[in-house]
Amino acid sequence: MATAGAVDGKGTGGTDKMAALKVIYNKLQAEVLEDHAIEVTHESAIQWIDRMMDYNVLGGKCNRLLSVIDTYNILKGADVISQEETFLACTLGWCMEWLQAVYLMLDDIMDNSQTRRGQPCWFRVPQVGLIAINDAIILHNHVPRILRRHFKTKPYYVDIIDLFNEAEFKAVSSQLLDLIITHDGRKDLNRYNETIYRHIAQYKTAYYSFYIPVACALLLAGENLDNFGDVKNILIEIGIYFQIQDDYLDCFGDPELTGKIGTDIEESKCSWLVVQALEHTDENQKSILIENYGKSDPACVAKVKDLYKELNLELVFREYERETYIKLIGTIEAQLNKAVQTLLKSFLHKIYKREK
């Protein structure tokens, strides 16, 4: 089992840090495979699940996992955290990564995506196809089993379960809104606006990816979440900023860095870029946008991207990024608790001007 210092990466570097986290992943993976072996004795099925877990849970940036650990270290002090506390924090973080894998697997199918994390989407792997739907359900079922095995005797167990359930409810509800709005947008692009965009981004990304990891660490540290309303609001704003970055990188990012070929234009997504374009176009430009947005023809995609460049949306994004950073720093520094300031600034600085 990893020590607290190893997971925090003190004096060992990022490689050793991720190696320590992988040790805990291997332990959790072995436990769920043992569960499967009891219920499904066919060796080929166990091998399939083993490969499927590695393919989908591993390979990402592990932002949610690292957020739980970093938050707990800041709250408690990395030098005094026991091995058991380290293991529990990592386990909560890996549960977040398990759920993230579920969402990405299903999202890729719904968006008909090609690549994820620099490799083909799982459903595009030969012999997988729509079996990926059942695989996602299998991964989803691992999470409550892991939580029950390691947290059932903890006083905050019910709060953790409630937190995960609430996060999932918001995420899938927002995903439905995203899909419905996308369907409506194909018929009338003017349905897209800033209000709808922020609602989707808040619950599909910000709440789940930024607030929940911190809330997990707070509960593990024995805190009452009701005392951290301001922290929640700031994290959600950081999360919306993150989603806007994602939308920008979907169009203007380098696939070699992002590990993904963007499809927001082809899929007619309610992206931050198209919302901005609708606000900045004249009638002629808007007609070009409406005529070409949401079509898979490369020529149509190129016309939309050319229009984005004509509207200087790259510059609009950079200005938004600068103003958002200044505003968030001011809000964070208004917090009285220095540990909370450190925590929130660490989140912001991790993503500020990111390229992947």
Side-chain angles (χ1 to χ4, degrees):
M1 186 181 299
T3 65
V7 171
D8 192 40
K10 290 190 172 185
T12 59
T15 301
D16 285 352
K17 179 177 183 177
M18 291 310 299
L21 296 174
K22 181 65 162 49
V23 169
I24 295 176
Y25 166 83
N26 290 339
K27 174 178 172 58
L28 300 175
Q29 181 186 43
E31 289 172 349
V32 295
L33 285 175
E34 185 177 351
D35 286 348
H36 282 293
I38 294 172
E39 299 295 334
V40 184
T41 56
H42 198 288
E43 184 177 349
S44 295
I46 305 303
Q47 290 174 349
W48 177 286
I49 296 168
D50 186 12
R51 178 193 176 207
M52 180 268 293
M53 273 192 283
D54 284 349
Y55 196 97
N56 293 287
V57 178
L58 301 178
K61 296 184 287 291
C62 292
N63 286 334
R64 294 155 196 83
L65 166 61
L66 295 171
S67 294
V68 177
I69 297 164
D70 292 346
T71 299
Y72 193 68
N73 284 344
I74 291 171
L75 291 172
K76 299 288 288 186
D79 295 333
V80 299
I81 296 174
S82 68
Q83 287 192 358
E84 180 187 6
E85 290 174 302
T86 296
F87 176 78
L88 292 175
C90 291
T91 298
L92 285 174
W94 276 119
C95 283
M96 295 293 300
E97 294 299 326
W98 242 272
L99 280 179
Q100 176 66 2
V102 173
Y103 298 149
L104 294 182
M105 291 166 71
L106 296 176
D107 195 57
D108 285 342
I109 295 171
M110 288 182 275
D111 290 347
N112 199 32
S113 297
Q114 297 292 326
T115 60
R116 172 71 67 177
R117 296 171 173 172
Q119 59 186 357
C121 298
W122 176 243
F123 80 98
R124 293 194 177 277
V125 172
Q127 299 182 339
V128 176
L130 294 184
I131 295 175
I133 296 173
N134 192 66
D135 288 339
I137 296 171
I138 288 173
L139 283 186
H140 187 275
N141 275 271
H142 289 171
V143 175
R145 300 182 77 87
I146 293 171
L147 292 175
R148 184 174 68 246
R149 178 179 286 114
H150 295 288
F151 294 92
K152 190 173 183 180
T153 61
K154 305 299 180 183
Y156 49 81
Y157 175 63
V158 173
D159 294 323
I160 287 289
I161 296 298
D162 284 347
L163 190 65
F164 272 77
N165 286 340
E166 187 65 17
E168 288 189 66
F169 179 75
K170 284 181 166 58
V172 297
S173 297
S174 183
Q175 173 72 351
L176 177 61
L177 177 61
D178 186 14
L179 293 169
I180 290 174
I181 291 300
T182 297
H183 181 268
D184 291 344
R186 289 183 185 277
K187 295 182 287 186
D188 181 8
L189 204 59
N190 291 301
R191 295 288 298 274
Y192 294 165
N193 58 59
E194 188 78 22
T195 300
I196 289 174
Y197 176 82
R198 282 184 61 86
H199 186 87
I200 294 172
Q202 177 175 341
Y203 292 118
K204 188 177 179 182
T205 300
Y207 188 89
Y208 169 70
S209 296
F210 286 82
Y211 172 64
I212 296 301
V214 173
C216 283
L218 287 168
L219 289 174
L220 187 60
E223 298 287 355
N224 185 334
L225 297 183
D226 293 338
N227 298 330
F228 292 88
D230 289 344
V231 172
K232 177 180 178 180
N233 293 335
I234 293 171
L235 286 166
I236 286 175
E237 286 302 316
I238 293 175
I240 291 173
Y241 163 46
F242 179 89
Q243 182 58 55
I244 290 172
Q245 286 178 314
D246 244 23
D247 291 356
Y248 171 82
L249 292 172
D250 184 272
C251 179
F252 294 110
D254 181 356
E256 291 294 325
L257 292 176
T258 64
K260 180 182 179 182
I261 299 171
T263 58
D264 282 357
I265 294 173
E266 294 93 324
E267 294 300 316
S268 194
K269 288 294 183 181
C270 182
S271 159
W272 183 81
L273 290 172
V274 77
V275 169
Q276 296 302 310
L278 288 166
E279 292 181 358
H280 289 84
T281 53
D282 58 30
E283 288 304 314
N284 181 57
Q285 291 169 325
K286 182 176 285 189
S287 65
I288 294 173
L289 184 63
I290 291 173
E291 182 180 346
N292 292 281
Y293 198 75
K295 295 181 179 177
S296 57
D297 184 344
C300 294
V301 174
K303 288 180 182 179
V304 173
K305 290 186 176 182
D306 287 343
L307 179 60
Y308 285 173
K309 292 177 181 177
E310 183 181 332
L311 295 170
N312 290 319
L313 291 191
E314 290 181 83
L315 181 62
V316 172
F317 169 76
R318 294 302 175 195
E319 183 61 20
Y320 158 81
E321 186 170 49
R322 185 187 69 83
E323 291 178 354
T324 298
Y325 178 80
I326 292 172
K327 182 179 178 181
L328 283 168
I329 285 293
T331 306
I332 291 169
E333 291 182 344
Q335 297 291 309
L336 297 177
N337 188 313
K338 294 299 181 183
V340 168
Q341 284 190 26
T342 300
L343 169 66
L344 295 172
K345 284 183 179 180
S346 72
F347 270 82
L348 182 57
H349 291 150
K350 282 177 185 176
I351 67 171
Y352 183 52
K353 291 191 175 181
R354 69 186 176 97
E355 296 182 355
K356 60 181 181 178

